[in-house]
Amino acid sequence: MSGPSGTPIRNVAVVSSVGAGKTSLVEAMLFAAGSIPVRGTVAQGSTASDYDAEEQHRHHSLNASVLQFDWKGTRMTVIDTPGDRSFQGDTLAALRAVDAVILVVSAGSGVRADLGRVWSTAKELGLPGLLFVTDLDKDGVSFERTLSSCREILEDVQILPLTVLGGRSSAGDSVVDLLNHVLVSSSPDLPKVQVSPVPATLTELVAEAKKPLIEAAAEVDDSLLEQYLADGELPTDEIRRGLVEAVHRGVLLLALSGSALANLGVASLLDAIVALLPSPAEAGGAGWQGTDPRDGVSLHRSADSTEPMSALVFKTTIDPFMGRMSFLRVCSGALTADTHLYNATRSTREKGGHLFSVLGKKFTPIASLAAGEIGAIAKLKETQTGDTLCDEHHPIIFTPLALPRPVLSVAIDPKSKTDIEKVSLGLHKIVEEDPTLGVTRDDETKELVLSGLGQLHLDVAVERLRRKYGAEVALHTPRVPYKETIRQGASAQGKYKKQTGGHGQYGDCWLQLAPLPHGQGFTFENKIVGGTIPRNFIPAVEKGVVEAMREGILAGFPVVDVQATVYDGSYHVVDSSEMAFKIAGSMAFKKAMEAAHPVLLEPLMQVEVSCPDDYVGAVIGDLNSRRGRITTVTARGHMESIQAVVPLAEMLKYAPTLNALTGGRGEYSMEFSSYEEVPRDLAAKVIEEARAGKAMTTSV
């Protein structure tokens, strides 16, 4: 696949767990390509990809960074992705924009268990990849031992070395390229490498290591297998063809050895990306699938510049200097700067701004983007992450990004009145940049709630709110939206009588309350006969009941699932009014509820926990301790999916516990299920705390 000038294209994401060395590797790739004069370091906060202030402070990636450069005539787009699961939304969005992945493993810190999760995600998206084992310049580490650990975790793919360490040479450290049978020597301080023949001392080692590569290449094609069995050898071009096929199918993961910090093996990795990973035209098999927004018919777009223009927005940033920037992948056709676009997702027209190539925080203006290319476009007003941009005469909507839903929430209180507007504006923009964050105003608790994928996710969002928008906030655990209801019927009179100098106030009604099934809400019935209450005052009685239901008698929580029937009463020809009957209705409701055996209800959540089967017992035990009811346990490969119904009050701080129970390998999602009565002993505690809090608020 080529860009506008005929330049071949490769789009890859660098993925792994936290601390594996992704950012250091990307920095070394930029240095090897000559895109940066000096390599920065994560420790010093001087890398091209970790340019955000929070990333520099915390010393690891929190955002997906786009970095574009040329390598031996190929246009490379490398996306450095966050490793922390709290920021997996950015990683998943980036994976939709690329055609392959580079999986990074540190021989020094070891292979982490969540490597399997990262690779599984890539395979689900149909992305082939390469494996780069870094930190091999450290003492006591082993390339083979690291590959063995990878094979234990990645059981569904064959892992074979493509390069091995070659030892020291006059040019510095070196790796042996098994496929091309050359020694590639490099120096930490020089971008260029020296290529030389493999020394005789390594010939036997290379022959032994190359044999599995030949066999893997032969197995993908019957003609190659026959040739190999007949001759015991294959030409290098045929080996390369077989390896490319196996890599593209996702059945083979070729491993390269090196060290990002020592600039060792990085040039060989770049060569392998060009030689072995797919171009946009080769990736994904069938290209890009979507639907016609007009009739829902399935559509197909190929990475071909002659097709109608279509593009997927995978990231949005709001920069104080550059303004709003939308990062996109052109899926088909060509996109030119300052042109009119159609947002098929939102059915709106957009006036496109300037186009840019991207190198971290550096944006370089360009005239156009061809099919398969990635870039940024400025100042789109309506477009959000996940939207499809296209030719209005040939509309298409690509499948939306499958982003994880928030699981951890905090309530936010502005520290001062001057912060209220800043908080509102800042949160709106932060959520635009990171759609895995959620901001809601709870109608029942009246709290502003910020939700995210983990504690670090929320901490970073609050820090950005302070740093970028000057908004100071206080955080606390959100209140649980309890409700109240009744368990039996009861009747009561509400009589409001007030005499003043002129007209008085008089309203008198009798109410019958009855419980309704869960989820029925509220119904009101009029059974007045004989005109004991004039018809024009009945709506006022109902209004009084509805207002009284906003604060129940147990602890001031809203009342639900009640039927109220007005069946008797009296009125005064002069003093009765709508206001008087409204107050009477409220009084009658409160008295009747006291006699109707009121109880407290709590929200239950439908929870799904995914974890390796080794941890199922611990997870189920913990859910049971949280008053959870396990409904199903389903095996999904090496993972188990546990479905349970758990009270929300027990899930507010579940994320850290699940991480501790599963070594960071578990994840969960939850959504509202229903309301259920709180056990009596717990209800008494909740009521006491609610009354104490209300009394404190009143006294203040």
Side-chain angles (χ1 to χ4, degrees):
M1 186 69 212
S2 301
S5 60
T7 305
I9 299 170
R10 294 294 184 274
N11 300 315
V12 299
V14 180
V15 298
S16 196
S17 52
V18 176
K22 298 182 299 298
T23 298
S24 296
L25 176 60
V26 171
E27 190 76 3
M29 294 166 76
L30 294 174
F31 180 65
S35 293
I36 54 175
V38 179
R39 285 185 302 138
T41 66
V42 173
Q44 294 175 349
S46 54
T47 62
S49 52
D50 283 359
Y51 55 85
D52 182 82
E54 272 299 292
E55 292 177 314
Q56 294 170 351
H57 170 67
R58 297 177 184 272
H59 302 304
H60 63 81
S61 301
L62 306 175
N63 310 286
S65 297
V66 177
L67 305 114
Q68 298 178 304
F69 56 93
D70 294 319
W71 175 257
K72 296 183 178 179
T74 295
R75 184 61 172 167
M76 309 280 277
T77 296
V78 175
I79 303 182
D80 181 15
T81 65
D84 193 292
R85 294 177 67 178
S86 289
F87 304 93
Q88 62 179 301
D90 238 25
T91 299
L92 292 172
L95 293 179
R96 278 291 300 277
V98 299
D99 306 310
V101 298
I102 307 300
L103 200 61
V104 182
V105 172
S106 169
S109 59
V111 180
R112 300 195 179 185
D114 60 352
L115 181 71
R117 175 184 57 83
V118 176
W119 176 241
S120 294
T121 301
K123 290 201 71 173
E124 287 172 7
L125 294 170
L127 299 176
L130 298 172
L131 175 67
F132 187 83
V133 179
T134 188
D135 295 335
L136 286 172
D137 57 327
K138 296 182 178 180
D139 294 334
V141 301
S142 166
F143 183 46
E144 279 302 325
R145 190 164 59 243
T146 304
L147 291 189
S148 178
S149 298
C150 290
R151 292 184 181 109
E152 291 178 5
I153 294 173
L154 310 179
E155 298 178 355
D156 60 341
V157 63
Q158 185 181 19
I159 301 175
L160 296 175
L162 184 66
T163 66
V164 295
L165 294 181
R168 308 279 303 178
S169 71
S170 58
D173 291 326
S174 62
V175 297
V176 177
D177 183 332
L178 299 176
L179 181 60
N180 297 305
H181 203 77
V182 293
L183 188 76
V184 183
S185 303
S186 60
S187 169
D189 303 318
L190 296 174
K192 292 185 178 180
V193 297
Q194 178 177 311
V195 180
S196 58
V198 175
T201 54
L202 295 176
T203 301
E204 186 175 341
L205 179 149
V206 171
E208 187 66 24
K210 188 176 180 180
K211 187 176 180 181
L213 287 177
I214 301 174
E215 294 173 349
E219 288 174 357
V220 302
D221 188 289
D222 289 343
S223 62
L224 291 179
L225 183 59
E226 291 176 5
Q227 184 178 353
Y228 175 61
L229 292 175
D231 303 339
E233 185 59 81
L234 286 176
T236 299
D237 287 346
E238 296 292 356
I239 298 173
R240 182 179 291 107
R241 179 170 68 86
L243 294 179
V244 166
E245 179 67 22
V247 168
H248 287 199
R249 289 183 188 175
V251 298
L252 177 63
L253 197 58
L254 293 175
L256 296 97
S257 57
S259 170
L261 294 179
N263 196 32
L264 175 64
V266 178
S268 297
L269 171 63
L270 289 167
D271 286 340
I273 291 173
V274 174
L276 300 170
L277 295 183
S279 69
E282 298 167 329
W288 290 76
Q289 297 296 131
T291 57
D292 190 323
R294 297 167 297 189
D295 53 21
V297 172
S298 295
L299 296 175
H300 172 269
R301 292 286 186 269
S302 298
D304 187 333
S305 291
T306 63
E307 290 206 1
M309 195 286 294
S310 64
L312 179 71
V313 176
F314 66 91
K315 182 177 176 64
T316 303
T317 63
I318 302 174
D319 185 87
F321 302 105
M322 298 293 295
R324 185 187 185 89
M325 301 294 291
S326 301
F327 294 77
L328 49 79
R329 157 78 180 252
V330 178
C331 306
S332 63
L335 176 62
T336 56
D338 303 312
T339 189
H340 288 279
L341 301 169
Y342 182 66
N343 185 323
T345 306
R346 302 182 185 278
S347 302
T348 59
R349 296 181 178 88
E350 289 270 28
K351 175 64 170 69
H354 298 316
L355 294 176
F356 301 91
S357 64
V358 187
L359 185 64
K361 64 179 180 180
K362 180 182 178 183
F363 294 85
T364 303
I366 55 176
S368 63
L369 288 168
E373 289 195 302
I374 291 172
I377 186 169
K379 300 178 180 178
L380 297 181
K381 294 181 179 180
E382 304 294 333
T383 299
Q384 304 286 333
T385 298
D387 288 356
T388 301
L389 299 174
C390 60
D391 180 339
E392 186 173 3
H393 300 293
H394 301 86
I396 186 172
I397 297 179
F398 296 120
T399 304
L401 301 175
L403 299 178
R405 289 179 293 180
V407 296
L408 187 65
S409 300
V410 291
I412 290 183
D413 294 321
K415 286 190 175 180
S416 68
K417 290 184 177 180
T418 59
D419 288 314
I420 294 176
E421 187 173 343
K422 295 178 184 177
V423 169
S424 177
L425 175 65
L427 286 176
H428 177 73
K429 291 186 176 181
I430 286 173
V431 171
E432 280 193 75
E433 291 185 283
D434 185 354
T436 58
L437 288 169
V439 177
T440 56
R441 174 73 68 177
D442 194 304
D443 293 335
E444 294 171 10
T445 65
K446 310 305 179 186
E447 292 177 314
L448 184 64
V449 178
L450 174 66
S451 303
L453 301 180
Q455 189 60 53
L456 179 60
H457 197 201
L458 297 177
D459 290 345
V460 169
V462 170
E463 176 56 29
R464 285 177 177 161
L465 191 63
R466 183 196 64 78
R467 177 173 50 82
K468 293 181 70 173
Y469 304 103
E472 298 284 351
V473 297
L475 307 178
H476 60 86
T477 302
R479 292 194 292 270
V480 176
Y482 293 102
K483 295 182 185 296
E484 299 179 23
T485 192
I486 58 175
R487 281 289 169 261
Q488 63 185 39
S491 298
Q493 180 187 23
K495 189 172 186 178
Y496 180 66
K497 183 177 181 181
K498 185 177 181 181
Q499 284 299 128
T500 61
H503 286 306
Q505 294 288 341
Y506 184 88
D508 175 27
C509 66
W510 282 84
L511 285 183
Q512 168 73 43
L513 300 187
L516 291 175
H518 282 316
Q520 293 296 307
F522 168 69
T523 61
F524 183 82
E525 190 172 355
N526 175 20
K527 287 191 175 181
I528 294 293
V529 293
T532 55
I533 299 177
R535 294 177 61 87
N536 58 304
F537 290 140
I538 299 300
V541 175
E542 180 179 2
K543 189 174 182 180
V545 172
V546 170
E547 288 191 4
M549 291 178 66
R550 293 175 184 171
E551 291 191 8
I553 65 169
L554 291 177
F557 296 114
V559 181
V560 295
D561 301 334
V562 171
Q563 176 177 295
T565 302
V566 57
Y567 63 91
D568 199 1
S570 62
Y571 74 102
H572 189 279
V573 175
V574 176
D575 293 344
S576 287
S577 66
E578 290 187 4
M579 177 63 71
F581 273 100
K582 175 183 167 184
I583 295 173
S586 176
M587 293 169 62
F589 178 83
K590 291 177 180 178
K591 288 181 183 179
M593 189 173 177
E594 289 178 358
H597 189 56
V599 293
L600 196 65
L601 301 176
E602 65 180 341
L604 302 183
M605 309 303 289
Q606 182 65 49
V607 178
E608 180 177 8
V609 182
S610 297
C611 67
D613 46 21
D614 293 345
Y615 303 101
V616 169
V619 170
I620 289 178
D622 180 72
L623 290 174
N624 286 332
S625 73
R626 296 171 184 270
R627 299 188 285 130
R629 298 194 300 269
I630 309 301
T631 54
T632 60
V633 179
T634 307
R636 294 178 179 173
H638 300 295
M639 303 290 285
E640 298 278 348
S641 175
I642 304 163
Q643 300 272 354
V645 178
V646 191
L648 174 61
E650 305 288 349
M651 296 296 294
L652 294 177
K653 298 181 179 179
Y654 182 61
T657 301
L658 181 62
N659 284 337
L661 286 174
T662 63
R665 299 177 66 187
E667 56 186 29
Y668 77 104
S669 62
M670 63 181 184
E671 58 185 21
F672 173 75
S673 174
S674 62
Y675 271 85
E676 191 172 280
E677 186 174 338
V678 181
R680 184 172 300 178
D681 56 335
L682 292 177
K685 183 179 179 182
V686 171
I687 292 169
E688 181 182 352
E689 291 176 350
R691 287 175 176 173
K694 191 173 183 180
M696 185 178 298
T697 303
T698 303
S699 64
V700 172

